[in-house]
């Protein structure tokens, strides 16, 4: 444990909330570091909120200016030996030994002036911040030699938001979390993971020699929903322009078809449904919106006769990961319908206990649960908000990743009890984050802009105090769809010159 300095008496400290200490010479203290001192009550924990330096020789501007006219002040006085530094500490709590364990308590007495201050004891610090030995190892606590091992339940049960600007390391962090989930041992409790992968960033796990076996990737174009899963409720949330009457009529037809399927042992599809609606006696003004919706549904090629891909019931497996790679789809509407279906299906299966507890990670979540959107344009919003509100009871945990927190549904964001914040510089986004992340103080908010790639702040349920973490490297193989621009350009030109040569050869042959 490093000695750092000594508590001093100032006009308004030490108190139970803060104190200052003068640094020992060459004291290695850093802003943001956790430190400890003692009072009659026991060990008092705090963090260094700021460090100031002072030197009496430089206090009076006019004297400094006067001396400097002739020669530097240092040539007149032993200035170095008069410099000192003071660290201001925000008190966080105290640790009291109860039997074998240390318990966290409130501080009701300040430390006395003159008490030594030392760097926080690392094993106590782990308890204090709330790390668990079997937690997810996301990296290292900044300024300390302590692994950031976050408790699984505290991180996921009440949902998680990873917010930062593009390129700050959101997907990297998500991948680190996924590695930890895949590596988890049975006795520590393993959950399943389903990922809505917009850019095809997670399919690399499939090719990784150590993770591949526990990963399934389904491409967007292969995803299909069996006709029997189509319910009037789902239909009306996807196509709100269909009236209540329309929904009832559709319900009747679907029920008829379903009993016919059972009795006659046959399968129907969306084309059969369209025929039935067309041939029905439903009033024109009710029938037309239903048909328009059905034609649209047919055209996006999502409903199959009986195949479900992925088969959620079979493919959502503890300790394994199912990636829905939507990067091959262009149609945003189709992506939203897929997310809506997948989230609804997981919710229902979880309610019935037919799949294990599951972590649903949604990349680019602002597209699927936007703050401002009409239902018609965002069929996935209501289910994401529902999972955010009620998922915890059923063991379905939501992880939202977004570079546009301002556009993300506030209902969803406010239900995410843990926020991991990486670098953000846009002032609007910053303001929004500050308002939505409970427990983030203005000091932390200010430092979000100066975070480097790979550094993050964790606030909320997962930790007892907001912490700065250096996210670890990935163990898994990184795989990016889309080559760097310069390689694409080279490839294009070499392909183009080949075609030119071929054209010429063909021409010669012809002549
Ligand atoms: N903790 C880290 N350690 C090493 N490299 C990182 C780290 N975080 C991010 N990177 C790298 O920075 C780049 C951007 O990260 P990425 O996760 O794709 O950002 P985002 O998803 O926020 O747009 C990637 O090349 C990634 O490998
Ligand atoms: Mg990303």
């Amino acid at each position: 444990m490093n000695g750092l300095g000594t508590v001093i008496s100032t006009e308004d400290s030490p108190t139970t909330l803060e104190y200052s200490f003068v640094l020992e010479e060459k004291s290695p203290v850093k802003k943001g570091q956790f430190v400890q001192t003692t009072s009659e009550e026991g060990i008092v924990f705090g963090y260094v909120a700021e460090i100031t330096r002072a030197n009496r020789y430089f206090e009076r501007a006019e004297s400094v200016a006067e001396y400097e006219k002739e020669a530097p002040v240092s040539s007149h006085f032993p200035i170095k030996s008069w410099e000192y530094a003071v660290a201001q500490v925000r008190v966080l709590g105290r640790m009291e030994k109860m039997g074998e364990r240390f318990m966290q308590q409130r501080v009701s007495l300040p430390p006395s002036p003159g008490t030594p201050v030392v760097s926080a004891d690392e094993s106590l610090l782990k308890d204090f911040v709330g790390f668990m030995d079997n937690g997810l190892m996301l990296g290292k606590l900044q300024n300390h030699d302590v692994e950031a091992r976050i408790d699984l339940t505290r991180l996921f049960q009440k949902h998680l938001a990873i917010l930062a600007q593009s390129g700050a390391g959101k997907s990297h962090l998500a991948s680190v979390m996924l590695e930890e989930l895949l590596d988890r041992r049975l006795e520590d409790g393993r959950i399943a993971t389903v990922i809505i992968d917009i850019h095809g960033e997670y399919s690399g796990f499939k090719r990784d020699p150590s993770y591949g076996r526990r990963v399934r990737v389904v491409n967007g174009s292969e995803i299909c929903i069996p006709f029997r899963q189509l319910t009037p409720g789902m239909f009306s949330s996807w196509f709100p322009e269909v009236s209540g009457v329309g929904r009832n009529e559709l319900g009747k037809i679907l029920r008829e078809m379903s009993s016919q399927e059972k009795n006659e042992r046959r399968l129907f599809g969306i084309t059969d449904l369209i025929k039935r609606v067309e041939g029905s006696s439903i009033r024109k003004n009710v029938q037309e919106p239903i048909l328009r919706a059905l034609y649209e549904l047919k055209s996006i090629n999502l409903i199959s006769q009986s195949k479900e891909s992925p088969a959620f019931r079979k493919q959502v497996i503890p300790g394994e990961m199912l990636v829905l790679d939507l990067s091959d789809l262009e149609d945003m509407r189709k992506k939203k319908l897929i997310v809506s279906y997948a989230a609804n299906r997981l919710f229902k299966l979880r309610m019935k206990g037919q799949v294990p507890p599951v972590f649903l990670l949604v990349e680019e979540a602002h597209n699927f649960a936007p703050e401002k959107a009409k239902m018609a344009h965002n069929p996935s919003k209501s289910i994401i908000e529902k999972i955010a509100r009620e998922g915890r009871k059923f063991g379905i945990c939501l992880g939202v990743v977004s570079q546009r927190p301002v556009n993300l549904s506030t209902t969803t964001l406010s239900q995410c009890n843990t926020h991991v914040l990486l670098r953000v510089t846009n002032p609007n986004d910053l303001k929004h984050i500050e308002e939505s992340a409970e427990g983030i103080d203005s000091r932390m908010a200010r430092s979000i802009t100066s975070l480097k790639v790979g550094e993050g702040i964790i606030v909320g349920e997962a930790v007892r105090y907001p912490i700065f973490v250096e996210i670890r490297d990935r163990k898994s193989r990184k795989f990016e769809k889309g080559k760097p621009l310069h390689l694409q350009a080279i490839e294009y030109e070499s392909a183009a010159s080949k075609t030119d040569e071929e054209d010429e050869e063909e021409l010669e042959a012809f002549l």
Side-chain angles (χ1 to χ4, degrees), residues 152-161 387-388 391-392 396-398 412-419 461-462:
L152 174 95
T153 297
R154 288 172 63 169
L155 183 61
F156 291 132
Q157 189 165 34
K158 295 196 201 157
H159 316 304
L160 163 79
I387 293 177
R392 126 170 220 233
I396 164 160
C397 325
L398 186 67
T412 306
L413 204 51
S414 65
Q415 295 290 331
C416 290
N417 282 269
T418 297
H419 281 60
E461 192 76 18

Side-chain angles (χ1 to χ4, degrees), residues 167 170-172 199 201-202 363-364 401 403:
K170 298 181 295 298
S171 306
H172 176 101
H199 303 295
E201 293 168 289
Y202 299 91
E363 271 271 355
E364 308 276 355
V401 179
Q403 72 246 22

